[in-house]
């Protein structure tokens, strides 16, 4: 039912071995890049902290009327939310999926090579969280941000919890965690590139995203092999469940986080804040922050389930 055809799924073990051996030379955590990031060279107070194009309500008539000073502060909070969401993707979605693999929850990834690369990736992820944690607080210090705004857990993580609450069986919850981690790691390059290639914000903001982005190309390749190795060992029932959940995980990863934006607008007492958010939520093209689904498509192709995935890739 799940496989589109009978072609066998081939696991690229040489790739896993190369990732393991090259980690000391490849990983950002093993380099001196972070010292460059911590410096305040090239800091320009006039440059915003977050791209205007990524704010879903930037051109909304009610928002357009507010003072430029408040708009600038909202962009700073957009950057803070971006970092928070990145940390949550690592700490609350990806790392738990790695932990399940290390705990032998799934068959197919129990070899020394697989577990070594997963351990290396966990170190990378902790380092990435540390980079983004520092990025937030360096920005707050430079901008003299003393306001307290309640930033909810990221929408990706919130939706995962909601989806898991609707399932009673442990194996389904575990496969949801794994699917969410795989989708995040194979799609996070698209998320990071929103800033890593942006030249309209603070250069250091692009730098931290770019350093993270470099490591994630290796992680993406790893998670493709993890997906294949686990998938071939699943029962037909488990394969069908995993396949059905991948699109939901993708939607959760791509979604705009309007709960966070709403709290920011309310904090700055933007007139009509709730109406602004509701208007944006009604516009389909503003539902998603990330519009690149090549990560999910790659997984579907490698698992021979592309025709079984209920998703619009265009």
């Amino acid at each position: 039912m799940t496989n589109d055809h009978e072609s066998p799924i081939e696991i690229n073990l040489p790739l896993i071995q190369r990732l393991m051996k090259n980690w000391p030379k490849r990983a950002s955590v093993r380099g001196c890049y972070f010292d460059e990031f911590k410096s305040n060279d090239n800091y320009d107070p006039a440059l915003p902290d977050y791209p205007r194009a990524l704010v879903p309500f930037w051109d909304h008539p009610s928002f357009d009327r507010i003072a430029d000073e408040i708009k600038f502060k909202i962009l700073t909070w957009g950057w803070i939310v971006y970092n928070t969401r990145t940390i949550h993707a690592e700490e609350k979605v990806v790392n738990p999926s790695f932990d399940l693999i290390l705990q032998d929850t799934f068959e197919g990834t129990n070899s020394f090579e697989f577990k070594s690369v997963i351990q290396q990736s966990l170190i990378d992820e902790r380092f990435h969280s540390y980079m983004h944690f520092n990025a937030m607080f360096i920005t707050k210090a430079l901008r003299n941000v003393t306001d307290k705004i309640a930033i909810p857990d990221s929408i990706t993580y919130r939706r995962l919890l909601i989806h898991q609450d609707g399932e009673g069986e442990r194996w389904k919850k575990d496969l949801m965690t794994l699917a969410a981690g795989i989708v995040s790691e194979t799609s996070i390059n698209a998320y990071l590139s929103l800033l890593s290639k942006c030249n309209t914000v603070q250069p250091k903001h692009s730098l931290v995203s770019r350093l993270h982005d470099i490591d994630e190309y290796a992680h993406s390749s790893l998670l493709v092999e993890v997906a294949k190795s686990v998938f071939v060992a699943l029962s037909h029932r488990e394969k069908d469940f995993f396949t059905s959940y991948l699109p939901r995980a993708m939607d959760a990863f791509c979604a705009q986080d309007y709960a966070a934006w709403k709290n920011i607008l309310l904090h700055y007492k933007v007139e009509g804040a709730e109406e602004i958010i509701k208007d944006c939520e009604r516009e389909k093209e503003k539902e998603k922050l990330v519009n690149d689904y090549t990560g999910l498509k790659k997984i579907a192709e490698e698992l021979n389930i592309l025709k079984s995935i209920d998703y619009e890739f265009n």
Side-chain angles (χ1 to χ4, degrees):
M1 175 183 172
T2 299
N3 287 67
D4 294 338
H5 49 75
E6 298 302 320
S7 297
I9 297 173
E10 297 182 3
I11 313 303
N12 191 345
L13 292 179
L15 171 65
I16 300 300
Q17 293 169 341
R18 287 197 301 274
L19 289 173
M20 179 183 70
K21 292 178 181 179
N22 291 336
W23 184 67
K25 295 181 290 185
R26 170 188 54 77
S28 294
V29 67
R30 299 297 296 267
C32 58
Y33 308 106
F34 193 52
D35 289 335
E36 180 185 355
F37 165 68
K38 286 194 298 184
S39 75
N40 290 330
D41 295 342
N42 301 322
Y43 176 70
D44 182 353
L47 282 175
D49 295 304
Y50 191 71
R52 297 176 178 87
L54 298 184
V55 180
F57 47 78
W58 190 263
D59 295 323
H60 191 284
S62 296
F63 183 77
D64 189 55
R65 291 195 293 266
I66 73 172
D68 288 342
E69 178 185 359
I70 299 300
K71 289 181 180 178
F72 203 80
K73 290 181 178 180
I74 288 173
L75 289 174
T76 296
W77 276 98
W79 167 239
I80 293 169
V81 170
Y82 179 88
N83 284 285
T84 301
R85 180 168 176 164
T86 306
I87 293 170
H88 286 186
E90 306 288 34
E91 301 292 332
K92 300 189 176 188
V93 179
V94 173
N95 290 359
S97 69
F98 284 166
D99 288 338
L100 288 175
I101 294 170
L102 293 173
Q103 294 161 10
D104 294 333
T105 304
F106 312 106
E107 296 294 331
T109 54
N110 301 329
S111 70
F112 169 75
E113 288 84 1
F114 260 115
K115 288 196 171 184
S116 292
V117 180
I118 291 294
Q119 291 281 14
Q120 291 170 349
S121 297
L122 275 168
I123 295 171
D124 289 344
E125 303 300 17
R126 291 293 186 185
F127 178 70
H128 299 155
S129 294
Y130 181 55
M131 284 199 299
H132 287 277
F133 171 83
N134 275 275
M136 283 192 293
F137 281 88
I138 290 172
T139 296
K140 286 183 177 181
L142 290 170
R143 297 295 192 190
N144 194 29
V145 174
T146 57
D147 298 347
K148 304 293 183 182
I149 300 179
I151 302 300
D153 285 335
S154 72
I155 189 168
T156 304
Y157 179 60
R158 296 200 310 269
R159 287 192 179 179
L160 173 60
L161 293 182
I162 291 171
H163 296 160
Q164 289 179 322
D165 284 345
E167 299 291 346
E169 297 176 271
R170 182 74 260 166
W171 69 269
K172 290 185 177 180
K173 295 178 187 286
D174 288 344
L175 281 177
M176 285 176 159
T177 298
L178 180 67
I182 289 172
V183 165
S184 292
E185 284 296 87
T186 55
S187 304
I188 197 167
N189 292 114
Y191 176 75
L192 293 170
S193 68
L194 296 175
L195 265 77
S196 67
K197 299 177 181 179
C198 181
N199 58 9
T200 63
V201 297
Q202 293 294 335
K204 288 298 187 294
H205 296 359
S206 297
L207 175 62
V208 69
S209 299
R210 190 158 59 251
L211 293 179
H212 189 168
D213 202 12
I214 293 169
D215 287 342
E216 292 300 349
Y217 279 105
H219 293 189
S220 178
S221 298
L222 167 63
L223 266 295
V224 169
E225 299 308 315
V226 166
K228 292 192 293 186
S229 298
V230 170
F231 192 77
V232 296
L234 296 177
S235 68
H236 288 300
R237 185 186 182 196
E238 290 168 335
K239 286 179 180 177
D240 289 340
F241 181 80
F242 181 81
T243 300
S244 69
Y245 188 67
L246 285 173
R248 299 173 72 190
M250 189 75 221
D251 283 340
F253 180 83
C254 292
Q256 281 278 6
D257 200 337
Y258 284 109
W261 283 122
K262 180 179 177 180
N263 286 359
I264 294 169
L265 292 182
L266 290 174
H267 174 81
Y268 285 107
K269 298 180 173 56
V270 174
E271 186 176 352
E274 295 196 18
E275 288 72 21
I276 291 173
I277 295 298
K278 288 179 181 178
D279 286 345
C280 290
E281 288 178 320
R282 283 192 289 265
E283 296 183 43
K284 187 172 179 60
E285 66 272 15
K286 293 185 178 181
E287 288 178 357
K288 297 180 179 180
L289 174 63
V290 179
N291 293 289
D292 183 343
Y293 320 122
T294 54
L296 177 60
K297 190 172 183 180
K298 173 70 171 176
I299 291 293
E301 289 172 341
E302 293 287 339
L303 298 183
N304 300 328
I305 58 172
L306 185 59
K307 294 180 181 177
S308 301
I309 292 283
D310 184 17
Y311 206 81
E312 294 183 10
F313 288 103
N314 295 329

